[in-house]
Amino acid sequence: MKKINICLITALTFAILYFFWLSFSTENVATVSTSIITTAAPLISLLFMLNIYNDLNNTRRNFVLLFILGTFSYFIAELIWNYQVLFLSLGDLPFPGISDLFYFLNTILFISAFIYLVSTKSQRLQLFSFLLDLLIIYSAIIVLLAMKFFVPIFEANGYTTLSIFVSTLYPALVLFLLISMVICFLYKNDTFARVTMFLFIAAISLQVIGDMLFTYAMYHSMFKLNSFLEPLWSLSIILFGIAVYSLSEHKEVNPNKPLLHIYQSFKWNVYRMIIQSGCILTLLYLLIQKNNLIYSSVLTVLIILVLLRQILSSYQIHKLLSSISALKDDLEQKVIERTEELSRKNEDLSTAVEKINYMALHDDLTDLPNRRALHEKLQGLIGENIPFTLLFIDVNKFKEINDSLGHNYGDEVLKGISQVLQHSIKDVGVVFRQSGDEFIITIENINSLFIENIINKIIQNSIVPLQVVEQRINVSFSIGVSQYPKDGNNLNEIIRCADFAMYKAKNDCIDCCYPNTK
């Protein structure tokens, strides 16, 4: 901040000395000194800007670059103007001349800098639409005011149409620069510290005052060289340089404000169209009344700008529709992907549920239905009053096999036994593993001859030695038989009767026994 204060004191001292120099020096000395000072002013401003250029981020650097180019354009204009002042007489000074083009370019580049700063990628189209609307209305108002109040008197004083246009364009451009700067301050107030905003406002105010006084002087044919307008313009360009230099004292921290969302509302669009239509119709009316070249030229430009605005609006609508279509396609794709994902998860869940249910009803070792499955099966048969036979099978001397050959070997024996039992009954019944070395077979048949054939088949198949881990082993069974409804009315009674018959067969050293066997 101390550096900024020193720069301001230097600029004010420069301006005061400049005023005193013009007040007390002779005309020739004043002309030479004015040429030197007005040429030095943009160079001083350029030094301020170049001093911080490399210390800024990309956005601010581009902003400063436009100011550097604008100030350099001002420097070229001053060189041309001062050359003409030093080597041409006052009456031979061209107006408008080449220097005016560079003065205009200076202001246009300054305007572009502020517009660039607010033209974020997300809102660039909205900003350009806003600026086109502003330009249409602003141009129409400036032309209407100029043609109503200034042009008649300028023409009466012998000014050409081109000189009138240039004289009016100076304050018009500077006022548009002021508008652009205000928009930038509102939208990007996080970019500018208060001192920076004050310096920019002071600089643009001096330029507005200078250009207004210049237009007034031209209006009354009072303009002369080495006037007090020169210090105003020189101080203005130096203040622009100090304002840019002060950017290094403030860091940008906040995001952009959504300034244009209100402007995009339907109500504001209606107001915009009414104002633009009013401006164009007014110009059309004046053109019909006076058949003036300026009116026709401005009206043509405004119509072109309106067409550009409509093209831009059409592009915005197209872009919006494309975005909506892309969002719709993306949403549909996500819905499809989500549906497929849910379908896969449902399938996985169904598979997991089926697996859990299967595991709940089957034995881990033999993959046979377990005791729970047996109870559900028997409850179903008894509930439907279906007669059935139950075979309770115990493996003889299985404990000795486990103790002598190991539990792993015993597990393999149980697997082999389960295969023997399933092979023996095939599709006429269901084999269950009750527990340990006990198995139960249910057969939905109570015919004695049929059951005897099944039991005999089981006994015959058990005679064949089992091939277990490169060993052959002989197994035998003790079988107890019970039937529903003859031996009981519920599953516990049926199982208990078969269990009793199985132990009786084991004790009597026979293969099979019925509950009523003596």
Side-chain angles (χ1 to χ4, degrees), residues 125-134 137 258-270 272 276 309 316:
L125 283 176
Q126 292 93 323
L127 178 67
F128 289 160
S129 300
F130 172 72
L131 290 174
L132 270 176
D133 294 334
L134 185 63
I137 297 169
L259 182 69
L260 298 176
H261 73 284
I262 297 175
Y263 173 74
Q264 293 297 316
S265 67
F266 175 76
K267 180 176 71 173
W268 287 104
N269 273 292
V270 172
R272 168 184 63 81
Q276 288 178 353
R309 176 64 174 87
Q316 284 181 276

Side-chain angles (χ1 to χ4, degrees), residues 199-301:
L199 289 169
F200 273 124
I201 292 172
I204 194 68
S205 298
L206 288 176
Q207 192 167 349
V208 168
I209 293 170
D211 286 347
M212 289 292 187
L213 291 175
F214 170 76
T215 303
Y216 179 82
M218 293 293 292
Y219 181 79
H220 292 284
S221 301
M222 295 167 53
F223 179 75
K224 62 180 181 178
L225 297 176
N226 306 324
S227 67
F228 289 109
L229 295 178
E230 304 288 351
L232 290 179
W233 287 322
S234 296
L235 182 58
S236 172
I237 199 68
I238 292 175
L239 286 178
F240 273 121
I242 298 174
V244 171
Y245 178 77
S246 68
L247 288 173
S248 60
E249 301 291 323
H250 178 68
K251 303 299 181 184
E252 184 174 3
V253 291
N254 297 322
N256 297 334
K257 290 183 177 180
L259 182 69
L260 298 176
H261 73 284
I262 297 175
Y263 173 74
Q264 293 297 316
S265 67
F266 175 76
K267 180 176 71 173
W268 287 104
N269 273 292
V270 172
Y271 292 159
R272 168 184 63 81
M273 288 187 287
I274 291 172
I275 294 171
Q276 288 178 353
S277 301
C279 292
I280 291 173
L281 289 173
T282 303
L283 286 172
L284 182 61
Y285 171 77
L286 293 173
L287 175 62
I288 294 171
Q289 290 290 318
K290 298 186 178 182
N291 195 24
N292 188 287
L293 178 61
I294 296 177
Y295 285 138
S296 60
S297 301
V298 173
L299 183 61
T300 303
V301 171

Side-chain angles (χ1 to χ4, degrees), residues 97-109:
I98 299 175
S99 60
D100 295 295
L101 294 177
F102 285 97
Y103 285 130
F104 291 149
L105 181 59
N106 155 251
T107 308
I108 291 169
L109 286 169

Side-chain angles (χ1 to χ4, degrees), residues 16 39 59 82 202 204 249 263 373 483:
I16 292 169
T39 305
T59 302
N82 289 324
I204 194 68
E249 301 291 323
Y263 173 74
Q483 292 182 326

Side-chain angles (χ1 to χ4, degrees), residues 43-62:
L43 289 177
I44 295 171
S45 184
L46 280 172
L47 288 176
F48 284 127
M49 297 176 188
L50 292 171
N51 190 43
I52 65 157
Y53 178 73
N54 292 324
D55 299 331
L56 302 173
N57 60 31
N58 286 337
T59 302
R60 287 185 171 189
R61 188 178 297 175
N62 292 335

Side-chain angles (χ1 to χ4, degrees), residues 361-363 367-371 373-374 430-434:
L361 298 175
H362 288 77
D363 177 56
D367 204 32
L368 292 174
N370 58 18
R371 184 186 299 176
L374 170 67
V430 181
V431 181
F432 300 86
R433 186 183 179 195
Q434 170 73 352

